[in-house]
PDB file of all heavy atoms in Angstrom:
ATOM      1  N   SER J 613      47.390  44.457  95.316  1.00 46.00           N
ATOM      2  CA  SER J 613      48.844  44.296  95.246  1.00 46.00           C
ATOM      3  C   SER J 613      49.294  44.074  93.820  1.00 46.00           C
ATOM      4  O   SER J 613      48.594  43.480  93.014  1.00 46.00           O
ATOM      5  CB  SER J 613      49.274  43.114  96.110  1.00 46.00           C
ATOM      6  OG  SER J 613      48.665  41.943  95.655  1.00 46.00           O
ATOM      7  N   THR J 614      50.492  44.544  93.519  1.00 43.00           N
ATOM      8  CA  THR J 614      51.044  44.426  92.168  1.00 43.00           C
ATOM      9  C   THR J 614      51.612  43.040  91.954  1.00 43.00           C
ATOM     10  O   THR J 614      52.332  42.540  92.811  1.00 43.00           O
ATOM     11  CB  THR J 614      52.176  45.444  91.969  1.00 43.00           C
ATOM     12  OG1 THR J 614      51.664  46.730  92.271  1.00 43.00           O
ATOM     13  CG2 THR J 614      52.687  45.400  90.536  1.00 43.00           C
ATOM     14  N   PRO J 615      51.292  42.354  90.840  1.00 44.00           N
ATOM     15  CA  PRO J 615      51.860  41.019  90.588  1.00 44.00           C
ATOM     16  C   PRO J 615      53.371  41.070  90.566  1.00 44.00           C
ATOM     17  O   PRO J 615      53.963  42.019  90.046  1.00 44.00           O
ATOM     18  CB  PRO J 615      51.284  40.651  89.209  1.00 44.00           C
ATOM     19  CG  PRO J 615      50.103  41.532  89.043  1.00 44.00           C
ATOM     20  CD  PRO J 615      50.402  42.795  89.778  1.00 44.00           C
ATOM     21  N   LEU J 616      54.029  40.049  91.110  1.00 40.00           N
ATOM     22  CA  LEU J 616      55.485  39.998  91.166  1.00 40.00           C
ATOM     23  C   LEU J 616      56.109  40.081  89.797  1.00 40.00           C
ATOM     24  O   LEU J 616      57.125  40.714  89.599  1.00 40.00           O
ATOM     25  CB  LEU J 616      55.917  38.695  91.853  1.00 40.00           C
ATOM     26  CG  LEU J 616      57.424  38.437  91.962  1.00 40.00           C
ATOM     27  CD1 LEU J 616      58.058  39.543  92.790  1.00 40.00           C
ATOM     28  CD2 LEU J 616      57.685  37.082  92.599  1.00 40.00           C
ATOM     29  N   ARG J 617      55.482  39.467  88.793  1.00 39.00           N
ATOM     30  CA  ARG J 617      56.096  39.392  87.475  1.00 39.00           C
ATOM     31  C   ARG J 617      56.175  40.749  86.791  1.00 39.00           C
ATOM     32  O   ARG J 617      56.893  40.917  85.820  1.00 39.00           O
ATOM     33  CB  ARG J 617      55.310  38.428  86.585  1.00 39.00           C
ATOM     34  CG  ARG J 617      55.500  36.962  86.943  1.00 39.00           C
ATOM     35  CD  ARG J 617      54.515  36.082  86.222  1.00 39.00           C
ATOM     36  NE  ARG J 617      54.549  36.298  84.778  1.00 39.00           N
ATOM     37  CZ  ARG J 617      55.435  35.788  83.977  1.00 39.00           C
ATOM     38  NH1 ARG J 617      56.390  35.051  84.450  1.00 39.00           N
ATOM     39  NH2 ARG J 617      55.365  36.015  82.665  1.00 39.00           N
ATOM     40  N   SER J 618      55.455  41.734  87.266  1.00 36.00           N
ATOM     41  CA  SER J 618      55.460  43.027  86.600  1.00 36.00           C
ATOM     42  C   SER J 618      56.499  43.980  87.166  1.00 36.00           C
ATOM     43  O   SER J 618      56.647  45.099  86.707  1.00 36.00           O
ATOM     44  CB  SER J 618      54.082  43.689  86.726  1.00 36.00           C
ATOM     45  OG  SER J 618      53.826  44.010  88.075  1.00 36.00           O
ATOM     46  N   LEU J 619      57.245  43.515  88.224  1.00 35.00           N
ATOM     47  CA  LEU J 619      58.182  44.412  88.874  1.00 35.00           C
ATOM     48  C   LEU J 619      59.556  44.323  88.257  1.00 35.00           C
ATOM     49  O   LEU J 619      59.950  43.314  87.716  1.00 35.00           O
ATOM     50  CB  LEU J 619      58.281  44.046  90.374  1.00 35.00           C
ATOM     51  CG  LEU J 619      56.947  44.150  91.134  1.00 35.00           C
ATOM     52  CD1 LEU J 619      57.165  43.709  92.565  1.00 35.00           C
ATOM     53  CD2 LEU J 619      56.427  45.578  91.082  1.00 35.00           C
ATOM     54  N   SER J 620      60.340  45.407  88.386  1.00 38.00           N
ATOM     55  CA  SER J 620      61.726  45.422  87.936  1.00 38.00           C
ATOM     56  C   SER J 620      62.613  45.382  89.157  1.00 38.00           C
ATOM     57  O   SER J 620      62.607  46.321  89.958  1.00 38.00           O
ATOM     58  CB  SER J 620      62.014  46.687  87.125  1.00 38.00           C
ATOM     59  OG  SER J 620      61.211  46.722  85.983  1.00 38.00           O
ATOM     60  N   LEU J 621      63.354  44.285  89.331  1.00 34.00           N
ATOM     61  CA  LEU J 621      64.183  44.123  90.511  1.00 34.00           C
ATOM     62  C   LEU J 621      65.632  44.113  90.103  1.00 34.00           C
ATOM     63  O   LEU J 621      66.076  43.208  89.442  1.00 34.00           O
ATOM     64  CB  LEU J 621      63.852  42.788  91.212  1.00 34.00           C
ATOM     65  CG  LEU J 621      62.363  42.555  91.505  1.00 34.00           C
ATOM     66  CD1 LEU J 621      62.217  41.189  92.142  1.00 34.00           C
ATOM     67  CD2 LEU J 621      61.841  43.630  92.404  1.00 34.00           C
ATOM     68  N   SER J 622      66.393  45.103  90.520  1.00 39.00           N
ATOM     69  CA  SER J 622      67.815  45.132  90.228  1.00 39.00           C
ATOM     70  C   SER J 622      68.464  46.178  91.101  1.00 39.00           C
ATOM     71  O   SER J 622      67.804  46.979  91.728  1.00 39.00           O
ATOM     72  CB  SER J 622      68.067  45.442  88.752  1.00 39.00           C
ATOM     73  OG  SER J 622      67.447  46.639  88.398  1.00 39.00           O
ATOM     74  N   SER J 623      69.790  46.163  91.163  1.00 39.00           N
ATOM     75  CA  SER J 623      70.464  47.184  91.951  1.00 39.00           C
ATOM     76  C   SER J 623      71.896  47.342  91.495  1.00 39.00           C
ATOM     77  O   SER J 623      72.398  46.591  90.685  1.00 39.00           O
ATOM     78  CB  SER J 623      70.442  46.806  93.428  1.00 39.00           C
ATOM     79  OG  SER J 623      71.312  45.739  93.656  1.00 39.00           O
ATOM     80  N   ALA J 624      72.572  48.345  92.081  1.00 37.00           N
ATOM     81  CA  ALA J 624      73.954  48.612  91.735  1.00 37.00           C
ATOM     82  C   ALA J 624      74.840  47.541  92.322  1.00 37.00           C
ATOM     83  O   ALA J 624      74.535  46.957  93.337  1.00 37.00           O
ATOM     84  CB  ALA J 624      74.351  49.976  92.296  1.00 37.00           C
TER      85      ALA J 624
END
Side-chain angles (χ1 to χ4, degrees):
S613 60
T614 305
L616 178 61
R617 287 169 54 80
S618 66
L619 300 177
S620 298
L621 308 178
S622 56
S623 72

